[in-house]
Amino acid sequence: MALRPVKPQHETRTRILDAAEELFMQHGFEGTSMRQLTARAGVNLAAVNYHFGSKDALIEAVFKRRLDPMNAERVAALDALEKDGQALASVDIIRAFVVPSLRLIEDAKGGGRNFIRLLGRTYTEPAKTVRALIGQMYAPTMERYKRALERALPQMPADELVWRMHFMFGTLAYTLAATDTVQLIAGCKPEDRYDARLLEERLTVFLAAGLHAPLESSIKKAA
Amino acid sequence: MALRPVKPQHETRTRILDAAEELFMQHGFEGTSMRQLTARAGVNLAAVNYHFGSKDALIEAVFKRRLDPMNAERVAALDALEKDGQALASVDIIRAFVVPSLRLIEDAKGGGRNFIRLLGRTYTEPAKTVRALIGQMYAPTMERYKRALERALPQMPADELVWRMHFMFGTLAYTLAATDTVQLIAGCKPEDRYDARLLEERLTVFLAAGLHAPLESSIKKAA
DNA sequence: GTCTATATCCTGATAGAC
DNA sequence: GTCTATCAGGATATAGAC
């Protein structure tokens, strides 16, 4: 029972998940039918319900497959940074958060790029269930990063930090969702478009600057 | 034929547009059926096809109604700023772009808030037609703002500016889409959540800082 | 302009043979 | 575990009376 070459054990599940990633990204959840999906995956129509139970359960499985490892990677990166015991620079915290998601845009073959665009798009997804699902998958990681930033920026008011984290998260989300599509980037060299290192550096620098924006704005003048 | 009190001339059209804004925002385009939509609007099922021709044409009308005036406002704001003839500060350019969209979040009654969330969500919308539609409605305004920023920041490399505009646009998009929903803002005072002035100041400060982030990052070290 | 009734098609899900 | 055939319902769109 050992050494059988390719053993297509969960192969059908994987094919379905890959096809779902791609089609959900292209057409959204409601815009993708089980017929399209199973045809693309090269499996039978009934296979999705057999392996996952329902379309909703499939959606959940699509996110779970990638999101759990991605957030584990983020937390591990923070752990590694904090090992030294010395204070963290906020740039490093930002980079630790950004990198695990951006790296996937280079994984065109394995479908990571499809997922990452789907993920970016889903942050603003209206669907009741989906948003809650993602939110709870993210919650512990977000809490962890919030505490890290609080320690790195003790002088920043709590509500200001919350807003700036919100903005940062949004910039990342849009960047993930739009890497392929946006007309603006037309001005950018095509070979740079999928260079994750370049993008993560650009994005990190931008976010760090925003996070450190001066506090004495006209907001305070009003008080 | 004058002075009839309320003349419900295009009233049916308006009711349909309002209902569409709300339901598209809540459930997406594919997730909203004509039956739901006409029921919510209090009009007959056939009315949509009579007044707009098709569901797709309705979607287009929803965006046209708000987007054209909004972008006109943006261009007018730039015109006003440039009237003096002196160089513009990039903060003012950013604010001129951001304000016309954020102000709509205070229009809960007129449906502006619904639209603004729909708009934010639609920037990352997968649907083929919709994205193209929005893109072409925005193109001239974006071009105009790009030139203004180029003049305000002559020292910035062209490709760097394009990326930073991309990030800025993304942050705004996400902010629009998520004003209501995101769990992060739970830490924020509830009465501030719909205060457009506060939000636009916070966002403008954040974006301006990101736009002016130092250029000598590790990107340059690689060269 | 508004409404009812309906045509045509596609959706997610399942029963049951293999 | 995979397939075919099918169910029950919902989708957009339209024809035609009022």
Side-chain angles (χ1 to χ4, degrees):
Chain A
M1 65 191 350
L3 279 184
R4 203 96 55 77
V6 208
K7 202 95 199 285
Q9 182 61 298
H10 290 147
E11 209 223 344
T12 300
R13 275 185 67 99
T14 305
R15 291 163 69 100
I16 292 174
L17 287 171
D18 290 343
E21 246 170 17
E22 182 175 358
L23 292 177
F24 288 159
M25 179 268 282
Q26 283 173 6
H27 310 116
F29 304 116
E30 317 248 16
T32 302
S33 72
M34 307 290 267
R35 285 170 167 81
Q36 286 176 266
L37 203 155
T38 49
R40 167 66 61 106
V43 303
N44 189 268
L45 171 59
V48 170
N49 278 292
Y50 178 82
H51 285 282
F52 297 93
S54 71
K55 187 181 183 179
D56 281 341
L58 169 62
I59 294 175
E60 181 163 350
V62 164
F63 285 103
K64 230 181 158 30
R65 173 170 70 150
R66 305 263 191 199
L67 228 44
D68 285 348
M70 182 188 297
N71 280 330
E73 211 182 317
R74 282 176 166 141
V75 171
L78 258 197
D79 286 341
L81 284 175
E82 284 170 343
K83 212 173 184 179
D84 312 337
Q86 65 192 60
L88 297 188
S90 55
V91 207
D92 294 327
I93 300 175
I94 294 172
R95 190 179 287 105
F97 189 87
V98 159
V99 164
S101 55
L102 281 182
R103 283 293 158 81
L104 279 181
I105 72 171
E106 294 186 334
D107 176 33
K109 201 167 181 188
R113 186 184 297 168
N114 287 335
F115 175 74
I116 219 59
R117 292 182 53 200
L118 170 62
L119 179 62
R121 168 188 143 50
T122 307
Y123 290 136
T124 59
E125 177 70 21
K128 52 277 152 199
T129 49
V130 180
R131 215 169 36 211
L133 176 71
I134 305 253
Q136 84 187 40
M137 283 185 180
Y138 262 97
T141 310
M142 291 298 260
E143 201 39 55
R144 181 76 199 283
Y145 271 80
K146 190 177 166 211
R147 281 200 309 270
L149 284 174
E150 279 168 355
R151 252 170 293 154
L153 300 156
Q155 79 288 0
M156 181 169 296
D159 61 337
E160 193 64 41
L161 178 62
V162 163
W163 276 105
R164 294 188 178 185
M165 280 187 69
H166 182 218
F167 294 148
M168 290 167 60
F169 196 72
T171 313
L172 175 59
Y174 184 82
T175 302
L176 298 180
T179 329
D180 243 8
T181 55
V182 174
Q183 64 283 11
L184 249 179
I185 319 194
C188 144
K189 283 164 257 147
E191 69 273 20
D192 287 357
R193 205 177 292 184
Y194 295 127
D195 185 331
R197 314 289 167 117
L198 208 57
L199 181 51
E200 86 199 17
E201 201 51 41
R202 286 203 152 104
L203 183 56
T204 303
V205 165
F206 180 90
L207 294 179
L211 180 60
H212 285 91
L215 286 171
E216 8 70 40
S217 68
S218 43
I219 307 171
K220 302 293 150 188
K221 285 188 216 146
Chain B
M1 61 181 7
L3 277 184
R4 202 96 54 78
V6 208
K7 202 93 198 290
Q9 182 60 299
H10 290 148
E11 209 223 345
T12 300
R13 274 185 67 98
T14 306
R15 293 163 67 98
I16 292 173
L17 287 171
D18 289 343
E21 246 170 20
E22 182 175 356
L23 292 176
F24 287 160
M25 178 269 283
Q26 283 173 6
H27 309 115
F29 304 116
E30 316 248 18
T32 302
S33 73
M34 309 288 269
R35 286 171 165 82
Q36 285 177 268
L37 202 156
T38 50
R40 166 66 61 107
V43 304
N44 188 269
L45 171 60
V48 171
N49 278 293
Y50 178 81
H51 285 282
F52 297 92
S54 69
K55 187 181 182 179
D56 281 341
L58 169 62
I59 293 175
E60 181 163 350
V62 164
F63 285 103
K64 228 179 159 32
R65 172 170 72 149
R66 306 263 190 198
L67 229 41
D68 285 349
M70 183 188 294
N71 280 329
E73 212 182 315
R74 283 177 165 141
V75 171
L78 258 198
D79 286 341
L81 283 175
E82 285 171 343
K83 213 173 183 178
D84 312 336
Q86 63 191 62
L88 297 187
S90 54
V91 206
D92 295 325
I93 301 175
I94 293 172
R95 191 180 286 104
F97 188 88
V98 158
V99 164
S101 54
L102 281 181
R103 282 293 156 81
L104 280 182
I105 73 171
E106 291 185 337
D107 176 34
K109 201 168 183 185
R113 185 183 298 170
N114 287 335
F115 176 75
I116 218 61
R117 292 182 54 202
L118 170 62
L119 179 61
R121 167 187 144 51
T122 307
Y123 290 137
T124 58
E125 177 72 17
K128 50 281 154 197
T129 49
V130 179
R131 216 169 36 208
L133 176 71
I134 306 251
Q136 83 188 41
M137 284 187 180
Y138 263 97
T141 311
M142 291 298 261
E143 200 41 55
R144 182 77 199 284
Y145 270 81
K146 190 178 167 208
R147 282 199 309 270
L149 284 175
E150 280 167 354
R151 249 170 295 152
L153 300 156
Q155 78 291 0
M156 181 168 299
D159 62 336
E160 193 65 40
L161 177 62
V162 164
W163 276 103
R164 291 187 181 186
M165 281 187 68
H166 182 219
F167 294 148
M168 290 167 61
F169 196 73
T171 313
L172 175 59
Y174 184 82
T175 303
L176 299 179
T179 329
D180 243 9
T181 56
V182 174
Q183 64 283 8
L184 249 179
I185 320 193
C188 144
K189 283 165 253 144
E191 70 271 21
D192 288 356
R193 206 176 293 184
Y194 296 126
D195 185 332
R197 315 289 168 120
L198 208 57
L199 181 51
E200 85 200 17
E201 200 51 40
R202 286 203 152 104
L203 183 56
T204 303
V205 166
F206 181 90
L207 294 179
L211 181 60
H212 286 91
L215 286 172
E216 10 68 39
S217 67
S218 43
I219 307 170
K220 302 294 151 189
K221 283 187 218 149

